[in-house]
Amino acid sequence: MREILIVGGGYAGFYTAWGLEKKLRTGEARVTVVDPRPYMTYQPFLPEVTAGSIEARHAAVSLRRHLRSTRLIAGNVTEIRNADRTVTVRPVSGADYELPYDTLVVTAGAVTRTFPIPGLVQQAIGLKHVEEAVAIRDRLMTAFDQAASLPPGAERQKLLTVTFVGGGFSGVEGFGELLSLATSMLKFYPELSIDDLSFHLVEVRDRILPEVGDKPGAWVVRSLERRGAHVHLNTQLVSVEDGHVVLSSGEEFDSSLIVWTAGNASNPVVHNHTDLPVDERGLVVVRPDLRVGTDSEPVPDVWAAGDDAAVPDLASPVPGAHTVPNAQHAVRQGKHLAKNIAASLHDGRVRSYRHSSLGVVATLGLGRGIFQYKRLVIKGLPAWLMHRGYHVLAVPTWERKVRVLAVWLTAALFGRDLVSLASVQHPRDAFVTSGDPQRAGASRASDHTAA
């Protein structure tokens, strides 16, 4: 039986496996997906997870529930040796081992790109996974509880200061949703006022949301500033040691919550640990039909898609352009990849991937959004409704669609759930300390050491 190995269970990997299950004949091949997480994260929902508009589990699609005939391996691929047709797998527990394949699909996904900024690794949190989105929400809510018990001053100001670094879609949407959550929480905290909140968005370029036009991008900045936010353009983060933010503009302030969304980097296994052809950005070189290699030097039986693949953009008028690394392309590339792999096994026609953008849409907080398709720009509530409508249709499986709609309907009737569960990050505290707050710090240190 032919072995089809998929590296990564994100958008492209999940949809490739899902499509192959429907297209392969019985006993024709075994599909294996290697990923450390047992679910696919629907990343466009993460900003709403941070705001409590969507339950965390509803932004995660179970691999085992929906990939019924696919073998799933919990682990990371640490090396690809196509010359030997093997990969090295590092399981969640146990020793590394080699896994052979006949057909390889590289959909490892991108990782968060960081820089050697003092204090960044110690203080910041990303916004690429469900766990991070939940932690951001819980930290903000916990900060409100703590700040409400403090008198006005530096300590309370730090607790209520939030800093996002990165003005792309992930950063702007997360920033807008968290700002919306914070302002809506004030009515439950009579000790606090809007003047106590300090939200900062830092972007190195002279504009945010590069996927939209200049005027819509400027409108988003004005919209955020009208809501009390501080948008720092043409500004770099210089230092963040001990939560003290220093910007290249000379501004300094203390911030208890720092979220880093300043771009993606190619997965280390693709960038550094493979004998497959990669370009100067560390992306797998891919032909228009998603096969790895070039027309003159193809790599047999190896395919790639998603954020780690340099897929030619046949719909772009710019020569040599590649598809942008977003969910819209990753989903469609995964579906296309399944069709092409099945066609290649059945001696059918393998087709080139071509997809024109459906436009871009972003949420900026409850009831606020922006949509652009070519010259058509829609702002405010209609754009926000379009954002919700598009993504509830795009999230895979009817089960997830119904769950998300149910949460939205409940929130519309009763408001968002404002309970912080930050204590779940230290689940042994109550057991170890027996309710003694003097021992809670030692318990957390023990948990951290054990982890």
Side-chain angles (χ1 to χ4, degrees):
M1 183 182 296
R2 190 173 187 85
E3 294 283 348
I4 300 177
L5 177 62
I6 301 176
V7 180
Y11 289 119
F14 172 81
Y15 277 97
T16 299
W18 207 20
L20 286 174
E21 285 192 348
K22 302 170 186 176
K23 298 182 181 302
L24 294 179
R25 300 162 185 159
T26 303
E28 182 178 15
R30 178 171 66 173
V31 179
T32 299
V33 173
V34 181
D35 195 284
R37 289 178 169 82
Y39 55 82
M40 181 206 80
T41 302
Y42 190 73
Q43 291 183 349
F45 278 161
L46 293 186
E48 293 202 60
V49 172
T50 67
S53 298
I54 290 179
E55 290 297 321
R57 285 184 174 85
H58 299 169
V61 179
S62 170
L63 298 181
R64 290 195 177 274
R65 178 165 186 166
H66 301 291
L67 300 180
R68 299 294 183 86
S69 59
T70 296
R71 179 173 61 155
L72 300 173
I73 296 177
N76 288 288
V77 170
T78 60
E79 186 177 4
I80 298 172
R81 296 180 304 281
N82 189 57
D84 301 328
R85 295 291 178 103
T86 62
V87 301
T88 300
V89 176
R90 178 163 297 163
V92 173
S93 61
D96 295 3
Y97 61 90
E98 292 187 353
L99 197 64
Y101 62 82
D102 297 301
T103 298
L104 178 67
V105 181
V106 182
T107 54
V111 297
T112 301
R113 179 184 61 184
T114 59
F115 298 96
I117 297 172
L120 181 65
V121 174
Q122 294 78 15
Q123 300 293 327
I125 185 171
L127 185 53
K128 187 174 282 294
H129 302 291
V130 172
E131 302 92 333
E132 295 172 324
V134 172
I136 291 169
R137 175 175 179 262
D138 285 344
R139 288 185 187 184
L140 178 71
M141 290 184 172
T142 301
F144 263 69
D145 290 331
Q146 294 171 347
S149 63
L150 294 174
E155 190 174 355
R156 187 162 91 171
Q157 184 64 60
K158 180 177 181 179
L159 284 169
L160 298 178
T161 299
V162 176
T163 305
F164 271 67
V165 184
F169 262 87
S170 178
V172 171
E173 288 189 313
F175 184 80
E177 285 286 348
L178 207 64
L179 177 59
S180 176
L181 173 63
T183 53
S184 69
M185 288 173 61
L186 287 172
K187 62 184 177 183
F188 301 102
Y189 291 84
E191 306 90 342
L192 306 176
S193 71
I194 189 68
D195 295 330
D196 292 314
L197 297 181
S198 185
F199 272 66
H200 298 262
L201 177 62
V202 181
E203 169 55 42
V204 68
R205 292 167 292 193
D206 61 355
R207 53 165 299 172
I208 61 174
L209 294 179
E211 294 87 350
V212 304
D214 290 341
K215 290 185 178 179
W219 176 85
V220 173
V221 171
R222 293 194 301 271
S223 174
L224 292 173
E225 290 177 337
R226 283 196 298 267
R227 293 160 61 188
H230 307 277
V231 181
H232 308 268
L233 300 179
N234 292 311
T235 305
Q236 295 180 355
L237 181 66
V238 176
S239 174
V240 68
E241 290 185 294
D242 299 322
H244 183 69
V245 177
V246 180
L247 303 179
S248 60
S249 61
E251 295 176 79
E252 298 185 24
F253 51 87
D254 291 330
S255 180
S256 66
L257 179 55
I258 299 154
V259 184
W260 179 268
T261 62
N264 297 322
S266 62
N267 195 290
V269 70
V270 172
H271 191 276
N272 301 318
H273 306 291
T274 179
D275 56 357
L276 297 174
V278 297
D279 65 11
E280 66 280 357
R281 297 172 296 165
L283 304 179
V284 180
V285 176
V286 176
R287 307 193 322 178
D289 59 10
L290 304 182
R291 285 187 276 202
V292 172
T294 62
D295 291 335
S296 59
E297 297 183 19
V299 180
D301 300 316
V302 182
W303 310 73
D307 292 353
D308 276 326
V311 180
D313 190 352
L314 302 184
S316 172
V318 181
H322 295 93
T323 58
V324 296
N326 61 19
Q328 192 176 130
H329 279 297
V331 168
R332 286 163 177 77
Q333 287 171 9
K335 294 178 179 179
H336 192 86
L337 198 49
K339 295 177 183 178
N340 275 358
I341 293 174
S344 69
L345 295 177
H346 303 153
D347 296 323
R349 181 182 175 186
V350 175
R351 300 177 183 272
S352 294
Y353 172 77
R354 182 187 183 94
H355 173 70
S356 298
S357 174
L358 300 176
V360 292
V361 62
T363 174
L364 304 174
L366 196 62
R368 301 176 175 91
I370 187 166
F371 168 83
Q372 181 175 5
Y373 176 70
K374 296 182 178 178
R375 295 186 178 181
L376 173 64
V377 177
I378 300 175
K379 306 170 185 175
L381 179 61
W384 178 77
L385 293 172
M386 293 172 68
H387 176 273
R388 285 204 160 182
Y390 172 79
H391 284 298
V392 80
L393 291 174
V395 67
T397 80
W398 279 103
E399 172 256 342
R400 275 295 176 264
K401 299 180 198 296
V402 172
R403 289 183 186 274
V404 169
L405 284 171
V407 172
W408 282 342
L409 177 60
T410 303
L413 293 174
F414 304 108
R416 289 181 283 206
D417 195 336
L418 300 181
V419 176
S420 169
L421 294 178
S423 59
V424 301
Q425 297 175 40
H426 306 285
R428 298 179 65 247
D429 271 5
F431 172 73
V432 173
T433 65
S434 298
D436 184 357
Q438 296 286 340
R439 299 166 60 189
S443 168
R444 293 187 187 123
S446 175
D447 280 352
H448 179 73
T449 302

